[in-house]
């Protein structure tokens, strides 16, 4: 008997969905920062065993769209609502789902639900117990599991429950695959993660990273990437005085790229302006934001 299925991770921004997926997969596939709306795409992480294959998908946090970019992000969420074999609903202490329409679609779907209350290490036992009761009352059919993705608390319990609920299917992907995304994609995400970490306010959200060239050589990979911004003033901030800010992004990104790929790399970064790309249909298509 072989089990296989799509475990789709849904939740508000900033509840630790990406941290949880990385803990379940055992690899840093989704970028993690303290800022909301970190995930923009639907990212798959594939876990294989002799008799099972779990395809985790991390979706963008549920938002009320302000840009066409947000509409595309919600399109990735909607596609995840349609093909799930199991939902992993992620919330945290003090959180309720902001988008009740999405929540009700999950509840009405008849698809099994595991509700994870994340970040319980930041709370006390009584509050956690009260929250478990609250969610059991809200979604009676859900299995409710308190967890801490950063501390890896109850990760095994989540995995065990997933295995119980996973349907019988042949594997969807070759057994040696870890993800459906390319190295170019992960390089761009690593660079974007550094921008989210090093810049404030609107700057990170106005940036899009595109890997223009990726040349693999025996001893070193040579990568050229472009950071697109929406205005000239943002370009100046990204570059910084005498190019120091951009150099910092490049240095820190290169370290993570080398750790991820297991190989040395030479990374060149450039900054270009593409006016209001977040509301530009052709730009969004160019950047891969067409809905699945």
């Amino acid at each position: 008997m072989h089990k296989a299925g799509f475990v789709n991770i849904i939740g508000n921004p900033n509840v630790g969905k990406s941290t949880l997926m990385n803990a379940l997969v055992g690899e840093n596939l989704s970028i993690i920062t303290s800022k909301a709306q970190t995930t923009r795409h639907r990212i798959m992480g594939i876990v294989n065993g002799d008799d099972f294959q779990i395809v985790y998908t991390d979706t963008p946090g549920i938002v009320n769209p302000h840009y066409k970019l947000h509409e595309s992000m919600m399109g990735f969420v909607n596609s995840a609502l349609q093909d799930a074999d199991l939902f992993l609903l992620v919330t945290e202490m003090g959180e309720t789902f902001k988008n009740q329409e999405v929540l009700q679609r999950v509840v009405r779907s008849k698809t099994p639900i595991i509700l994870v209350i994340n970040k319980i290490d930041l709370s006390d036992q009584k509050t956690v117990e009260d929250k478990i009761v609250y969610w059991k009352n809200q979604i009676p059919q859900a299995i409710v599991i308190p967890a801490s993705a950063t501390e890896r608390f109850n990760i095994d319990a989540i995995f065990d429950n997933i295995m119980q609920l996973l349907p019988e299917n042949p594997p969807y992907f070759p057994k040696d695959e870890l993800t459906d995304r390319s190295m170019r994609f992960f390089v761009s995400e690593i660079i974007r993660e550094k921008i989210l970490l090093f810049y404030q306010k609107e700057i990170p959200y106005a940036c899009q990273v595109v890997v223009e060239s990726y040349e693999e050589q025996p001893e070193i990979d040579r990568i050229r990437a472009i950071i697109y911004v929406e205005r000239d003033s943002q370009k100046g901030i990204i570059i910084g005085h005498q190019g120091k800010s951009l150099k910092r992004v490049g240095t820190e990104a290169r370290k993570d790229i080398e750790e991820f790929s297991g190989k040395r790399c030479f990374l060149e970064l450039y900054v270009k302006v593409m006016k209001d790309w977040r509301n530009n249909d052709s730009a969004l298509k160019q950047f891969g934001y067409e809905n699945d």
Side-chain angles (χ1 to χ4, degrees):
M1 181 181 72
H2 190 281
K3 290 187 167 188
F6 287 83
V7 178
N8 295 352
I9 305 173
I10 306 284
N12 293 336
N14 216 23
V15 294
K17 294 187 299 86
S18 297
T19 310
L20 179 63
M21 170 153 145
N22 289 343
L24 288 164
V25 174
E27 296 281 349
N28 290 335
L29 298 181
S30 287
I31 66 174
I32 303 164
T33 78
S34 61
K35 293 183 171 69
Q37 298 177 35
T38 300
T39 303
R40 286 179 175 171
H41 292 268
R42 185 179 178 186
I43 302 168
M44 292 185 185
I46 304 164
V47 176
N48 289 292
D50 291 338
D51 57 357
F52 72 89
Q53 181 177 84
I54 304 172
V55 184
Y56 294 103
T57 69
D58 184 18
T59 58
I62 298 166
V63 296
N64 294 315
H66 297 294
Y67 298 93
K68 288 183 178 180
L69 169 64
H70 293 157
E71 293 173 6
S72 178
M73 288 163 59
M74 287 304 296
F76 292 129
V77 174
N78 288 329
S79 68
L81 293 175
Q82 295 167 15
D83 63 15
D85 294 297
L86 170 64
F87 285 116
L88 214 56
L89 282 182
V90 185
T91 183
E92 64 174 55
M93 302 305 300
E95 276 274 335
T96 57
F97 282 91
K98 295 182 174 69
N99 191 315
Q100 287 298 308
E101 179 189 350
V102 171
L103 179 61
Q104 290 308 311
R105 285 178 63 189
V106 171
V107 172
R108 291 194 304 265
S109 70
K110 309 301 182 185
T111 302
I113 300 168
I114 297 174
L115 188 139
V116 178
I117 306 171
N118 195 21
K119 304 184 183 181
I120 65 164
D121 53 308
L122 304 178
S123 189
D124 60 86
Q125 185 172 347
K126 176 65 167 62
T127 308
V128 172
E129 290 172 353
D130 290 345
K131 204 66 176 177
I132 293 171
V133 171
Y134 169 81
W135 281 114
K136 283 184 175 178
N137 288 331
Q138 289 292 308
I139 313 177
Q141 74 268 39
I143 297 170
V144 180
I145 302 177
S148 170
T150 55
E151 301 296 325
R152 296 194 58 81
F153 175 73
N154 262 354
I155 297 299
D156 288 345
I158 296 169
F159 174 81
D160 291 343
N161 278 277
I162 289 170
M163 287 299 299
Q164 290 290 326
L165 295 168
L166 211 62
E168 290 184 34
N169 283 310
Y172 292 99
F173 297 93
K175 284 283 193 169
D176 59 350
E177 283 195 18
L178 177 65
T179 180
D180 64 327
R181 295 287 183 172
S182 66
M183 267 302 297
R184 282 177 176 247
F185 174 82
F186 288 111
V187 166
S188 68
E189 286 289 273
I190 289 169
I191 296 166
R192 193 166 66 85
E193 179 185 45
K194 302 311 171 192
I195 295 169
L196 281 157
L197 290 171
F198 298 154
Y199 298 90
Q200 300 300 314
K201 298 180 181 178
E202 180 67 7
I203 293 294
Y205 303 105
C207 291
Q208 174 64 35
V209 180
V210 174
V211 176
E212 191 176 57
S213 64
Y214 193 120
E215 183 183 351
E216 295 187 50
Q217 296 180 349
E219 300 297 325
I220 192 169
D221 291 342
R222 298 186 179 275
I223 304 167
R224 174 189 168 100
I226 298 172
I227 301 169
Y228 286 97
V229 294
E230 293 186 312
R231 297 191 297 275
D232 289 325
S233 59
Q234 295 166 347
K235 179 178 179 179
I237 293 169
I238 290 289
I239 294 172
H241 180 62
Q242 296 180 338
K244 289 181 180 178
S245 297
L246 185 62
K247 184 178 180 181
R248 181 187 183 195
V249 170
T251 299
E252 295 303 314
R254 178 183 54 77
K255 292 176 184 176
D256 283 7
I257 293 166
E258 290 180 339
E259 183 177 350
F260 189 81
S261 67
K263 188 177 178 183
R264 288 175 58 226
C265 85
F266 175 75
L267 177 64
E268 291 181 281
L269 293 180
Y270 300 86
V271 186
K272 292 184 178 181
V273 176
M274 184 179 287
K275 301 287 187 183
D276 297 321
W277 66 265
R278 284 180 290 182
N279 270 325
N280 185 311
D281 287 327
S282 62
L284 290 170
K285 184 176 181 179
Q286 177 186 335
F287 295 152
Y289 288 109
E290 283 189 299
N291 298 338
D292 290 347

